[in-house]
Amino acid sequence: MARISAAVNVLLLLGLGYVWARNYFQFRSKHTLGLFVFSLLLLAENACALYYYLLDPTLSAWFAAEVPGIAWRAMMLLHVLETVALAFLAWVTWD
Amino acid sequence: MEAVLWYVLTGTRGGPNRVRLLQAIDERPRNANKLAEELDVDYTTVRHHLDVLLENGIVEKSGDEYGAIYLPTDQVQHHWKVVETIMERVE
């Protein structure tokens, strides 16, 4: 579930980043630049999380086998909250 | 108001189209039909963008539902410098 949320976050951030990047290159405003940079950094955060969970040779094995359920649930909550926040932002940005 | 203008016109997917609408309305207040025709944008798309601009106090309409004329609000006229800065980047 934490992995799914992180993946959804990556997709939402790609969509938001696309809109903001396109508008930034058209308008060159610092407001849009701010939104774009924000989406890039949050994208990096979620991409790193996915990499650690699924691909990194040491960490992915550790996450798969040694992390207790309670810790997974705590991390899942963080990712899911972020997904809800991003879904809301996508909803207001997409119109 | 300035933050609203920046966000609605440059922070969203439909921003660039809304700038064109506002530009046309500023030249001459018009109804949705005329705007769709002149900007060559789908009528329902124009209505959607006009509703967003209405909701955010950027344009107002006078007249009844059909053929209502849209025009910039006083508040926007007040901050027209910002709109001009944004408009320079369109096209």
Side-chain angles (χ1 to χ4, degrees):
Chain A
M1 187 69 183
R3 297 181 180 112
I4 296 171
S5 290
V8 172
N9 289 346
V10 166
L11 292 177
L12 286 169
L13 284 162
L14 284 174
L16 287 167
Y18 168 72
V19 169
W20 290 328
R22 196 194 54 184
N23 286 6
Y24 172 67
F25 288 115
Q26 177 163 17
F27 296 112
R28 302 271 165 194
S29 75
K30 66 176 181 188
H31 309 76
T32 329
L33 179 63
L35 293 166
F36 176 51
V37 170
F38 164 81
S39 74
L40 271 188
L41 291 171
L42 216 57
L43 178 65
E45 188 224 296
N46 282 284
C48 282
L50 268 186
Y51 173 75
Y52 299 149
Y53 292 159
L54 302 172
L55 297 172
D56 185 85
T58 317
L59 283 176
S60 66
W62 183 75
F63 273 112
E66 322 241 351
V67 174
I70 186 169
W72 264 123
R73 278 193 292 281
M75 285 194 297
M76 180 194 76
L77 181 67
L78 297 182
H79 286 299
V80 170
L81 282 174
E82 201 176 306
T83 305
V84 175
L86 287 172
F88 203 79
L89 196 54
W91 176 65
V92 299
T93 300
W94 206 252
D95 74 4
Chain B
M1 188 78 217
E2 288 188 28
V4 170
L5 283 169
W6 279 111
Y7 185 72
V8 171
L9 299 178
T10 75
T12 57
R13 190 171 66 122
N17 257 335
R18 292 199 266 274
V19 176
R20 295 174 61 214
L21 272 174
L22 190 55
Q23 208 159 17
I25 287 169
D26 174 55
E27 275 167 27
R28 181 160 39 89
R30 283 174 255 210
N31 66 34
N33 230 325
K34 277 261 157 54
L35 287 165
E37 238 171 67
E38 253 146 89
L39 300 182
D40 198 24
V41 177
D42 184 59
Y43 177 76
T44 44
T45 310
V46 166
R47 280 305 299 262
H48 167 73
H49 290 317
L50 286 171
D51 285 343
V52 174
L53 291 171
L54 267 178
E55 250 176 66
N56 287 284
I58 296 172
V59 303
E60 57 191 348
K61 58 178 176 181
S62 71
D64 53 0
E65 205 48 50
Y66 269 109
I69 301 289
Y70 290 82
L71 57 154
T73 59
D74 291 343
Q75 234 186 331
V76 161
Q77 305 277 22
H78 214 84
H79 296 279
W80 201 252
K81 272 255 161 347
V82 177
V83 179
E84 273 177 354
T85 312
I86 296 172
M87 278 179 182
E88 281 165 18
R89 310 295 160 82
V90 178
E91 276 158 286

